């Protein structure tokens, strides 16, 4: 997504992200319910100190092998 048209979920962002991508989370709370495989070399950055919280409603987050 873009600043002017952000994606609605972290899972949607990590599905599209490739190595070298930084997923920037806006301030707020995110409740994720979909599986996400985060590719190697992808960074997730929250907005400021204590600005973004992610609650995982499923235990299906994985790191892709290098």
């Amino acid at each position: 997504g873009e600043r002017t048209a952000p994606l609605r979920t972290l899972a949607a962002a990590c599905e599209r992200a490739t190595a070298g991508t930084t997923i920037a989370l806006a301030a707020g709370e995110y409740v994720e319910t979909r599986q996400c495989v985060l590719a190697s070399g992808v960074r997730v950055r929250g907005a400021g100190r204590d600005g973004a919280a992610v609650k995982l409603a499923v235990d299906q987050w994985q790191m892709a092998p290098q």
Side-chain angles (χ1 to χ4, degrees):
E2 302 292 328
R3 284 186 191 265
T4 57
L7 297 171
R8 300 186 116 203
T9 67
L10 179 55
C14 73
E15 286 172 358
R16 292 167 175 77
T18 57
T21 300
T22 298
I23 298 171
L25 295 176
E29 183 174 293
Y30 299 83
V31 179
E32 295 294 321
T33 59
R34 291 181 28 214
Q35 178 178 356
C36 180
V37 178
L38 191 60
S40 178
V42 175
R43 295 178 184 199
V44 179
R45 180 175 42 89
R49 184 172 176 245
D50 301 327
V54 178
K55 293 183 179 181
L56 302 179
V58 292
D59 188 23
Q60 297 180 10
W61 286 71
Q62 305 172 1
M63 297 294 287
Q66 291 185 353

